[in-house]
């Protein structure tokens, strides 16, 4: 039989353990209560804040969306707003309705054209366009005049309700390759509500600055200004004057935009290298094939090889049908070249 002293010691030990467990439970309970109190207090503050803002909004006759505030009432962007940080771009490609033109169009549609939010191929069979030109090289200016008008009416005119208004309209030739990721990154710099005229700037001694026709991007406001000028008696923006430039549709566009105070943007990168090329990568890096005289006279950057083309290049021109259909340009060791495109 155990002694009374032993029993008393055991009982005290058990009592101590019980007391410790009770103290721990009390401590945890109090801690949880404090945490709950904080959360409930924050939630109550949020509800009061939302209620106050809603009342003020209703009094002012404005709309309010509680889902756009985080837990502490700070303004956050909705998924739609985040998506809209990517510019919406409508593309149009100047082509002839020939076997080669159709084959290149098919390659563009399956290649870089898939990234356009809207894509149009402009020829005399395009539905909805006014055709008052002849499908020949010497009549490209007249054709481009109607193409810009068509793109304005379909994608920029706010009276149109069956399509989303775009931020930019990109024009490309049927032998132009657009590097879409670089194009979107660059366009994010510009407010489309302002008149921007973007592409490869060339300067002609007689005609002044213009954007080469291989790839031309107009902000929606620039296209509105162009359209309004064609309707208000501007000489340079009249159909007659525009068409008189024949194959020089890029010069015709520059003359019209200059009349409304819109000039080419500087699209070179920080090193002075070009983002928009009027030739393909092979020619820009070739030592055996000299660049043409007209280019050397009009280009602000006459470099070839290293330093000619930006790592952020957006466009190459005179691209073969095979390259359009099967290749993609890559920048490696300071040089742009073609690699086989992966199909996903």
């Amino acid at each position: 039989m155990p002694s009374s002293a032993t029993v008393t010691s055991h009982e005290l030990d058990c009592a101590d353990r019980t007391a410790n467990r009770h103290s721990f439970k009390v401590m945890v309970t109090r801690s949880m209560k404090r945490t709950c109190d904080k959360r409930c207090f924050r939630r109550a503050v949020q509800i009061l804040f939302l209620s106050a803002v809603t009342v003020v909004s209703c009094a002012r006759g404005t709309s309010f969306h509680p889902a756009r505030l985080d837990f502490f009432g700070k303004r956050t962007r909705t998924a739609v707003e985040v998506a809209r940080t990517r510019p919406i771009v409508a593309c149009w490609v100047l082509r002839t309705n020939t076997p080669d033109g159709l084959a290149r169009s098919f390659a563009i549609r399956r290649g870089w054209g898939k990234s356009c939010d809207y894509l149009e191929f402009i020829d005399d069979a395009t539905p909805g366009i006014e055709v008052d030109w002849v499908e020949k090289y010497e009549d490209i200016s007249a054709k481009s005049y109607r193409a810009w008008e068509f793109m304005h009416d379909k994608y920029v005119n706010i009276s149109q309700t069956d399509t989303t208004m775009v931020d930019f309209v990109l024009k490309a030739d049927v032998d132009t390759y657009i590097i879409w990721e670089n194009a979107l990154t660059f366009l994010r710099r510009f407010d489309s509500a302002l008149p921007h005229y973007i592409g490869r700037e060339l300067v002609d001694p007689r005609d002044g600055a213009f954007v080469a026709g291989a790839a031309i991007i107009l902000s929606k406001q620039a296209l509105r200004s162009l359209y309004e000028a064609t309707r208000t008696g501007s000489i340079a923006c009249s159909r007659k004057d525009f068409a008189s430039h024949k194959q020089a549709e890029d010069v015709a566009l520059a003359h019209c935009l200059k009349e409304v105070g819109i000039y080419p943007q500087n699209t070179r990168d920080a090193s002075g290298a070009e983002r928009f090329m009027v030739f393909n990568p092979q020619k820009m890096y070739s030592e055996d094939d000299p660049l043409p005289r007209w280019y050397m006279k009009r280009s602000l950057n006459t470099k070839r090889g290293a330093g000619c083309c930006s790592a952020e290049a957006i466009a190459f021109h005179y691209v073969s049908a095979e390259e359009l259909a099967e290749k993609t340009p890559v920048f490696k060791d300071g040089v742009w070249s073609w690699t086989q495109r992966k199909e996903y």
Side-chain angles (χ1 to χ4, degrees):
M1 181 176 179
S3 64
S4 60
T6 304
V7 171
T8 302
S9 175
H10 178 69
E11 288 175 347
L12 288 173
D13 186 51
C14 290
D16 288 343
R17 292 180 181 177
T18 302
N20 288 339
R21 284 197 296 270
H22 178 72
S23 298
F24 178 74
K25 287 180 180 179
V26 170
M27 182 178 66
V28 170
T29 302
R30 288 176 178 173
S31 176
M32 291 176 67
K33 187 175 184 300
R34 283 196 298 270
T35 302
C36 180
D37 288 344
K38 288 180 181 178
R39 289 177 179 172
C40 293
F41 177 75
R42 287 180 180 176
R43 183 61 180 168
V45 168
Q46 183 192 27
I47 291 171
L48 288 172
F49 176 79
L50 295 179
S51 299
V53 174
T54 303
V55 169
V56 172
S57 299
C58 291
R60 292 180 177 178
T62 57
S63 60
F64 175 69
H65 303 279
R68 294 183 182 178
L69 297 178
D70 67 7
F71 187 79
F72 299 101
K74 295 178 181 178
R75 179 73 165 80
T76 59
R77 292 186 300 173
T78 65
V80 172
E81 289 174 316
V82 171
R84 282 302 304 271
T85 60
R86 174 195 181 280
I88 298 177
V89 185
C91 307
W92 68 274
V93 179
L94 188 68
R95 75 169 181 193
T96 54
N97 200 354
T98 63
D100 180 66
L102 294 173
R104 287 175 176 272
S105 299
F106 181 74
I108 289 173
R109 190 183 296 279
R110 293 183 63 245
W112 66 260
K114 289 193 296 186
S115 298
C116 298
D117 294 288
Y118 304 95
L119 178 61
E120 302 279 353
F121 294 95
I122 304 296
D123 57 32
D124 57 5
T126 302
I129 196 169
E130 182 178 349
V131 180
D132 56 1
W133 73 86
V134 178
E135 282 286 359
K136 61 181 182 179
Y137 184 62
E138 292 76 15
D139 222 12
I140 288 179
S141 290
K143 182 177 180 178
S144 293
Y145 183 88
R146 293 306 181 195
W148 286 116
E149 180 183 66
F150 170 80
M151 295 301 289
H152 169 272
D153 289 346
K154 190 167 183 178
Y155 297 109
V156 174
N157 186 357
I158 58 175
S159 67
Q160 296 290 329
T161 58
D162 57 343
T163 187
T164 302
M165 187 188 302
V166 303
D167 298 305
F168 298 92
V169 175
L170 180 151
K171 176 264 175 182
D173 286 341
V174 78
D175 56 353
T176 297
Y177 192 104
I178 301 296
I179 303 172
W180 202 252
E181 296 80 5
N182 292 349
L184 290 178
T185 299
F186 188 61
L187 289 177
R188 284 190 178 99
R189 303 181 181 194
F190 300 96
D191 182 354
S192 64
L194 299 176
H196 295 297
Y197 174 32
I198 301 166
R200 174 59 179 273
E201 182 183 7
L202 299 175
V203 179
D204 185 86
R206 183 183 62 184
D207 296 312
F210 65 98
V211 169
I216 301 172
I217 304 174
L218 295 184
S219 66
K220 63 184 177 186
Q221 184 54 49
L223 186 49
R224 282 196 192 118
S225 299
L226 169 67
Y227 181 83
E228 289 167 5
T230 66
R231 296 294 186 271
T232 56
S234 165
I235 296 175
C237 299
S238 68
R239 195 268 181 199
K240 180 179 179 181
D241 193 81
F242 208 101
S244 70
H245 289 275
K246 299 187 181 298
Q247 67 268 27
E249 47 97 14
D250 45 9
V251 174
L253 179 64
H255 278 205
C256 174
L257 291 175
K258 181 164 60 175
E259 194 154 300
V260 292
I262 302 174
Y263 297 88
Q265 293 284 335
N266 177 6
T267 57
R268 297 183 296 281
D269 69 13
S271 71
E274 299 286 356
R275 287 187 172 89
F276 291 81
M277 264 55 69
V278 296
F279 297 111
N280 58 39
Q282 300 92 304
K283 193 170 185 69
M284 293 307 301
Y285 292 98
S286 173
E287 296 180 358
D288 303 323
D289 188 11
L291 295 171
R293 201 169 176 184
W294 66 262
Y295 175 86
M296 300 299 287
K297 287 176 61 178
R298 293 169 174 80
S299 182
L300 299 175
N301 179 352
T302 58
K303 289 183 180 179
R304 63 188 312 164
C308 71
C309 311
S310 173
E312 303 163 0
I314 293 171
F316 286 99
H317 193 213
Y318 295 120
V319 176
S320 72
E322 178 188 3
E323 289 161 347
L324 283 172
E326 302 175 8
K327 308 285 186 176
T328 188
V330 293
F331 189 73
K332 185 177 181 181
D333 299 327
V335 175
W336 282 98
S337 60
W338 296 101
T339 188
Q340 194 72 23
R341 185 167 69 230
K342 295 179 181 179
E343 298 292 346
Y344 296 97

